[in-house]
Structures are given as structure tokens and as C-alpha cells.
Amino acid sequence: MTAPALVWFRQDLRLEDNPALQAAIERGAGVVPLFVWSPEEEGSWSPGAASRWWLHHSLASLDESLRALGSRLVVRHGPALAVLQDLRRETGAEAVFWNRRLEPLIVQRDRAIERRLREEGIDARAFNGALLFEPWEICNRAGGPFKVFTPFWRHCLAHRAPEHPVAAPASLPGVEGAEAPASAPLAALELLPSIHWTAGLEKAWKPGEAGARAAYDRFVEKDLVGYSITREQPDRPGTSRLSPHLHFGEISPRRIWHVLHDWAGRRSAGGALRASEDYLREIGWREFAHHVLFHFPHTTDKPMRAEFASFPWERRPRALRAWQRGETGYPLVDAGMRELWATGWMHNRVRMVAASFLVKDLGIHWLEGARWFWDTLVDADLASNSLNWQWSAGCGADAAPYFRIFNPVLQGEKFDPEGDYIRRWVPELAAMPKRWIQRPFEAPEEVLSRARVRLGKSYPRPVVDHAEARARALAALHRLPDDEGEEEG
Ligand code: FAD
């Protein structure tokens, strides 16, 4: 009888299309599913409060699914290597399998663990469960990593179709002749906050593999066909909201890819093809973010474009607090920041506007924004968060051109033309007519008073004047040394 295998679950909290789990099953012996909580090993980017809430519920859901297969999740807390070694001794396991994560500290830790376990004679192996392609598979003509999205994605599309997803197992063999290994109760990890502030999260989300599948199926059935247009409308549920499910690996990108291809193949209308291409392109941005993080690990904390290292960011604690609380006086920014606080998520268009406002209008370092998002987003993801914050600040891979400074008023009028998004998240402006709702600070006194808005009392005056802030940001950005740019193919 072959000795059992440990399957070390991490950000791959699913049974379907899970290569590490699949490899363990194929060995034909017992399988011990394990989760190790070791936030200290993630350094300053250990999971934030909203992520911990999600993780708790996702682990509970995984355990339930495993129990339905006659198994269960072993939960432990401690340094990962020590826990793996303990569990190996307890179960007699001779193999440890996991799916790769690409955060810099985790890459270093996992390499050390793999080396050590192999020295001990263990079959220790890592698989790709999170991405369409491995980061070292997609190279430019010079054999290096891409730094620009469009050629990267073109290359991915021409590369090869990702493998078909593997179905979830129908049962899982346990460890024969041995006691099931002890597990800490999930509650012992203390992932849930001691003060109950998560009602909005509970209402908005269903963490776990079943929730991920339901969200994707509903999106494909209802919203995908109109995605090319509705994805830009924060006042509607036009996007898939799969980001936290993808971050925690509750659904595989391979499944997303193949379902999309089947869906588009069954439809002849050009709009359907475009919608599926647009959606896949977003999955491509996620892929790009992970590849960039793998090749440029310093970008979690340092700008990709070195000349930004000397950028004169400002320290403005009061303005930062106003931004965090959704009290900047710019309704679209405030609505987004309040949506984030209430639900752990913000629409992508509004994330771009809110991020631009912090770094360009307020001149505050992008890391301050990245850290706030890290703590409050249920989809907080080191690759996507770092790439997008650097994009917004203009200092990252394929960044927004420095002169692109979102005007929060015009963005609101374009993407929330009726003001419904503002009315939902900034209720003190609910009675404002649509002509003024994105710019209450310019509204005539009688309009404000009819809408029962008292600027500076019931709703704040703008913390900065956008036109002045824009000019100041442009002047500072102009003073940066020139970037030569890089050619890619
Ligand atoms: P959909 O439009 O349905 O897109 C499908 C999937 O594609 C998403 O679930 C996501 O996995 C991926 N995706 C879409 N846009 C992007 C993008 N710009 N970059 C990378 N992947 C993308 N996304 C995160 O998952 N985690 C983060 O921590 C994160 N931080 C961000 C910070 C800033 C400043 C900005 C501007 C964007 C950030 N994003 C982040 C990207 C994007 O806003 C979210 O992925 C998206 O809003 C999630 O909603 P959705 O699932 O409905 O997206």
C-alpha cells in the first residue's frame, strides 16, 4: 500500500480542477487535505480584515465539501514547514502537493520548503492551479517577461488553449489504519473580527466553491451578453464579481476560459464574440498582474519605473482620512469608498477614479491607497492590487500615461449619468437632481436647499479643487526624468 499524500490547500480552495488534489488522488493512496494558517510568513502583506472574513467562510465551505466526500480539512496554525513535517510524521505521508502562489515571500518560502522536504525523501511538488499559463511560459522575443499588456495578451491568445478543467472527485480515500489527524477548530484561527462589522459582506457574498460557480453561471447566463457595455456602469450589476472567488481559487481560470469559449461558440452574433473576448481580456489582466509580480517581485512596495523613487509624495493625514471614509466632497469617489467599506468590493471604473484621486489630486503615495484597499477589499490580491495601484500612479508596468488624470465629476456624469450609484452609496445626496448630483459644490443654493443638502454640514465641501490639483500634479510629473520606454514584441 502506498503511503498517503498531504494536499496543502492555500489559495486554491476548491475540489474541481485542482491539480495538486488530482495528483494526490492519482497516487492511489490516502489523501490528507490540510490548511496551514501562517500569516507571519506573508510579512507586511498578510491577509487584511476583509480577506480574513472571506477566508474563514471559504475554509468552512471547503471542509463541508470534503466531508461530503468522506474526508475533512485538517486545519493547523504555525510555521508551514514545521506543520507539514508534523503532519507527515503523524500520517506517514510520503508526498506533499500544493498549487503555486506567486507572492514574493511565499515563492521564497515555498522553494525552501520544497527543497527541505525533498532532502527528507518526500515527493514534494507544486502545480499551476491559479493561472492559465505559467509565468515562465510567456516570453517576449528577447526571451524576457512582457511589461506591456497588449503584446502579452496577444501572445497568450496565440500560445495554446489551456487544458480542460478536471472534474471534482466523487470520493476521497482517507488514511488507512491510522487515526484521522487532529485539526484545530476553524474558530481558533480567529479570522473573524471581534467587533461585528461584516453584515454588509454577509449580505453581498457567498464565499466558497459553490458560491463561485453560482456567480459565474449566473453571470454567463444573464450579464455576459451585455458585458462590453454594462461593465463600465457602476450603477448596475454588469460585471461578474468573481474577483474574490478567483483570488481564493474557488474557481479555476481554466474553467472560465473553456466555458466562455463554449458559450461564444454556440452563438453566431458578433456581439457575443466581442463580449466573451472583452471578458477574457479582463482575465488576461489578472494573468498579466501575476506574471509581472513573479518577474518583478519588488513592485509590491517599489515603483516599477525607477524614476518615481524620488517623486515628492505628500503627507496629508486628514485628506487621507477623508478619502478612506468617503468624505472628499467628490460624490463618485465618496460613493466608491463607501461601497468598499460596506461590501468589501468596488466597481473597477470607480476604483480607477478613486485611486487617481488619491495619487494625483491629493498627491498621496500609492502605497497608502494600496494598503487601505488591502485591508478592506474581499478580493485583495497582491498581484492585481500592486499592478493597478502602480498603473493609477503612472509608475508601473504599462501604466496610465502621466497626463491621464481622471476628472471625478466628468467620470461620474459619463458612467453614472442618472446618479443612481451616488444615490445608493451617498444617501445625503439622494434628493439632488441628476444635473448637479456629481457636482453639488457648484449647485445653486436653492437646488441644494430643495435637496436638503448643506455643504460642509450634511455633505463635505471638496477637499481639493480638482483643476488646481491637476495642474500641481502635472507640474510634479513633468519634473520627472524621461523614461525611454521599451519595445516589446
Ligand atoms: P469583471 O469585470 O467581471 O472581470 C473578471 C475578472 O477579471 C475579475 O474578477 C478579475 O479577476 C479580473 N480583472 C478585471 N479587471 C482587472 C484588472 N484591472 N486587473 C487585474 N485583474 C482584473 N482586482 C483584484 O482582484 N484584486 C485587487 O486587489 C484589485 N485591486 C485593484 C486596485 C485598483 C486601484 C484598481 C484600479 C483595480 C484593482 N483590481 C483588483 C482590478 C479590478 O478592479 C477588479 O478585479 C474588478 O473590479 C473585480 O470585479 P469583477 O470580478 O466584477 O470584474
Side-chain angles (χ1 to χ4, degrees):
M1 180 69 195
T2 322
L6 305 183
V7 175
W8 179 17
F9 282 90
R10 298 123 60 90
Q11 282 171 9
D12 52 348
L13 305 179
R14 64 174 185 270
L15 300 183
E16 186 195 68
D17 197 33
N18 186 321
L21 178 63
Q22 191 60 28
I25 293 170
E26 281 166 9
R27 288 178 76 256
V31 173
V32 181
L34 166 71
F35 177 81
V36 186
W37 177 236
S38 48
E40 305 78 12
E41 295 178 355
E42 312 213 17
S44 63
W45 294 106
S46 76
S51 296
R52 288 177 192 225
W53 173 85
W54 190 287
L55 180 61
H56 175 96
H57 291 291
S58 192
L59 289 171
S61 161
L62 179 66
D63 185 42
E64 202 181 311
S65 306
L66 286 166
R67 284 175 193 265
L69 301 187
S71 179
R72 71 178 169 77
L73 187 65
V74 176
V75 173
R76 299 270 171 107
H77 183 179
L81 176 62
V83 171
L84 291 167
Q85 287 172 323
D86 285 351
L87 209 64
R88 193 179 85 67
R89 275 192 292 276
E90 291 168 35
T91 60
E94 288 182 0
V96 181
F97 297 155
W98 63 86
N99 294 309
R100 257 187 283 285
R101 288 176 53 182
L102 297 180
E103 298 91 332
L105 288 184
I106 299 296
V107 169
Q108 280 177 27
R109 178 198 68 181
D110 290 354
R111 280 189 185 143
I113 289 180
E114 188 172 339
R115 229 178 5 252
R116 183 62 190 270
L117 291 176
R118 286 187 178 173
E119 283 163 10
E120 293 173 6
I122 302 297
D123 177 10
R125 271 187 275 157
F127 298 83
N128 170 22
L131 296 175
L132 297 169
F133 308 109
E134 301 274 23
W136 45 90
E137 252 181 281
I138 304 295
C139 304
N140 63 21
R141 265 195 244 122
F146 285 96
K147 289 190 202 155
V148 178
F149 175 73
T150 304
F152 166 84
W153 189 231
R154 211 184 302 125
H155 199 90
C156 288
L157 292 175
H159 186 56
R160 64 173 168 81
E163 294 84 12
H164 278 273
V166 179
S171 67
L172 264 192
V175 183
E176 255 179 44
E179 294 254 315
S183 172
L186 190 50
L189 305 187
E190 298 181 349
L191 297 170
L192 296 178
S194 47
I195 302 167
H196 186 77
W197 52 265
T198 52
L201 273 56
E202 279 149 25
K203 207 164 133 211
W205 302 101
K206 188 172 184 303
E209 188 170 7
R213 182 183 272 257
Y216 188 46
D217 289 352
R218 194 198 53 239
F219 170 70
V220 171
E221 206 176 288
K222 271 187 61 202
D223 296 322
L224 176 56
V225 73
Y227 180 75
S228 299
I229 295 166
T230 54
R231 75 198 182 103
E232 288 290 14
Q233 300 173 337
D235 54 333
R236 293 162 157 241
T239 65
S240 68
R241 297 186 182 232
L242 275 192
S243 46
H245 297 293
L246 271 162
H247 170 74
F248 286 97
E250 298 166 356
I251 186 167
S252 91
R254 284 184 288 258
R255 177 176 159 76
I256 291 181
W257 170 290
H258 284 287
V259 168
L260 271 184
H261 275 264
D262 292 350
W263 179 89
R266 286 198 307 274
R267 282 162 180 77
S268 51
L273 182 63
R274 170 144 179 247
S276 67
E277 284 172 355
D278 284 347
Y279 187 70
L280 203 55
R281 199 177 153 83
E282 297 308 312
I283 301 297
W285 272 103
R286 173 181 180 273
E287 188 86 2
F288 181 56
H290 283 80
H291 287 219
V292 167
L293 180 62
F294 178 77
H295 291 294
F296 305 99
H298 65 281
T299 53
T300 54
D301 297 84
K302 302 230 163 68
M304 180 96 160
R305 291 176 51 194
E307 66 273 23
F308 266 83
S310 58
F311 191 78
W313 299 108
E314 293 180 46
R315 259 194 56 73
R316 303 176 67 180
R318 283 181 60 194
L320 175 62
R321 220 167 20 254
W323 179 80
Q324 291 168 336
R325 291 179 177 172
E327 292 172 359
T328 66
Y330 285 93
L332 187 63
V333 175
D334 293 343
M337 297 307 291
R338 296 186 198 186
E339 178 182 28
L340 173 61
W341 185 250
T343 69
W345 185 87
M346 193 198 301
H347 187 278
N348 183 57
R349 168 63 47 184
V350 192
R351 287 189 205 200
M352 291 195 291
V353 175
S356 172
F357 189 82
L358 184 81
V359 295
K360 302 219 164 137
D361 287 52
L362 300 180
I364 294 176
H365 201 299
W366 60 272
L367 266 172
E368 293 280 4
R371 291 245 168 245
W372 183 255
F373 272 30
W374 187 254
D375 202 35
T376 51
L377 278 172
V378 284
D379 65 24
D381 180 279
L382 199 51
S384 296
N385 202 40
S386 308
L387 181 103
N388 281 286
W389 271 100
Q390 293 223 22
W391 182 91
S392 301
C395 61
D398 200 358
Y402 75 87
F403 49 80
R404 182 161 189 191
I405 298 181
F406 286 105
N407 179 322
V409 173
L410 298 183
Q411 288 284 309
E413 288 174 349
K414 185 162 176 199
F415 295 107
D416 179 30
E418 300 300 316
D420 292 343
Y421 181 68
I422 306 299
R423 286 192 188 89
R424 169 144 194 229
W425 294 110
V426 189
E428 60 268 38
L429 297 179
M432 285 291 282
K434 74 177 183 188
R435 177 166 176 209
W436 299 107
I437 194 163
Q438 305 286 351
R439 48 175 92 226
F441 47 88
E442 289 174 3
E445 204 41 60
E446 72 268 17
V447 171
L448 290 170
S449 109
R450 233 178 296 127
R452 291 180 303 284
V453 175
R454 291 173 66 207
L455 285 184
K457 293 257 185 317
S458 68
Y459 183 71
R461 293 183 195 283
V463 284
V464 284
D465 176 273
H466 173 69
E468 282 168 19
R470 181 174 189 279
R472 211 176 46 241
L474 283 176
L477 287 159
H478 265 307
R479 284 194 291 273
L480 281 175
D482 266 350
D483 179 22
E484 293 298 317
E486 291 195 30
E487 279 228 300
E488 298 225 350

